C-alpha cells in the first residue's frame, strides 16, 4: 500500500485512529476543502526517500562523466519523458545535462521544486517543437520591433 487518503478534519477529530492507518502505508494524503492537500509520512520514510533520491542523483552525475553513461542517459530519456522525442538532438543533450545538474542540486538543498520547474519548461519547449504552426509563429521574424516602447 503506497498511500491512504483521509480528510484533515478526520485526523483532527480522531487522531489516533486516523494515524493508525498510516502504519501500513508509505504516506497519508490529507484532503482539505478549499486548500491544497497535505501529505503526511513518518520521519524515517521521509529520510529513506531523501537518501534514495540522493543516491540516484549521484549515480546520474557520475554516469554523465563517462561517454557510455551519457549515451545511456540519452537512450533512456525518451522512455522516461516521451515528449522529449520532439526535441532536436542537441536540446535532448542539453535537457539531460540540466536535469542531472538540477537533481544533484535538489538533493543538496532537499528541495525538488527546481527539478519540477526544469521538467515543466522542457516539456513546454517540446510542445512548441511538436506543433509546426506554433514553432513557426515563435521563431519567425515578423519584422516588427517590439522594443521597450512596446511595453508602454
Amino acid at each position: 500500500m503506497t498511500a491512504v487518503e483521509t480528510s484533515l478534519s478526520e485526523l483532527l477529530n480522531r487522531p489516533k485512529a486516523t494515524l493508525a492507518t498510516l502504519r501500513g502505508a508509505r504516506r497519508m494524503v490529507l484532503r482539505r476543502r478549499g486548500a491544497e492537500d497535505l501529505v503526511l509520512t513518518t520521519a524515517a520514510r521521509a529520510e529513506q526517500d531523501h537518501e534514495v533520491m540522493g543516491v540516484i542523483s549521484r549515480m546520474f552525475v557520475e554516469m554523465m562523466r563517462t561517454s557510455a553513461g551519457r549515451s545511456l542517459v540519452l537512450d533512456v530519456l525518451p522512455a522516461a519523458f516521451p515528449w522529449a522525442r520532439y526535441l532536436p538532438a542537441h536540446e535532448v543533450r542539453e535537457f539531460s545535462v540540466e536535469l542531472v545538474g538540477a537533481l544533484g542540486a535538489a538533493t543538496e538543498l532537499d528541495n525538488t521544486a527546481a527539478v519540477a520547474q526544469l521538467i515543466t519548461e522542457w516539456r513546454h519547449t517540446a510542445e512548441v517543437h511538436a506543433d509546426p504552426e506554433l514553432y513557426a509563429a515563435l521563431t519567425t521574424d515578423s519584422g516588427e520591433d517590439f522594443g521597450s516602447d512596446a511595453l508602454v
Side-chain angles (χ1 to χ4, degrees), residues 99-150:
L99 180 62
V100 169
L103 284 169
T107 301
E108 293 302 315
L109 295 173
D110 194 22
N111 185 339
T112 58
V115 177
Q117 180 64 36
L118 178 76
I119 292 169
T120 297
E121 290 169 0
W122 277 104
R123 182 183 301 114
H124 290 316
T125 301
E127 289 172 354
V128 169
H129 284 287
D131 183 338
E133 289 179 24
L134 180 58
Y135 183 80
L138 293 174
T139 58
T140 303
D141 184 6
S142 67
E144 296 183 44
D145 181 6
F146 297 105
S148 60
D149 291 341

Side-chain angles (χ1 to χ4, degrees), residues 2-90:
T2 57
V4 294
E5 294 186 22
T6 191
S7 66
L8 180 60
S9 13
E10 183 71 19
L11 175 64
L12 296 173
N13 293 328
R14 302 180 50 227
K16 286 185 181 182
T18 304
L19 287 176
T21 63
L22 186 56
R23 284 192 192 106
R26 299 263 324 143
R27 59 193 50 86
M28 178 181 291
V29 177
L30 299 173
R31 302 281 178 213
R32 300 189 304 166
R33 284 183 296 234
E36 187 175 7
D37 294 339
L38 301 174
V39 176
L40 184 64
T41 191
T42 65
R45 287 187 180 126
E47 183 57 34
Q48 286 173 351
D49 291 347
H50 179 74
E51 183 66 26
V52 168
M53 185 177 161
V55 168
I56 292 169
S57 296
R58 288 189 297 277
M59 286 175 58
F60 274 112
V61 168
E62 291 308 313
M63 283 176 62
M64 291 297 281
R65 293 180 197 269
T66 68
S67 61
R70 284 189 297 274
S71 177
L72 181 60
V73 169
L74 291 172
D75 285 347
V76 301
L77 209 64
F81 303 99
W83 46 260
R85 72 187 76 249
Y86 295 108
L87 296 171
H90 72 278

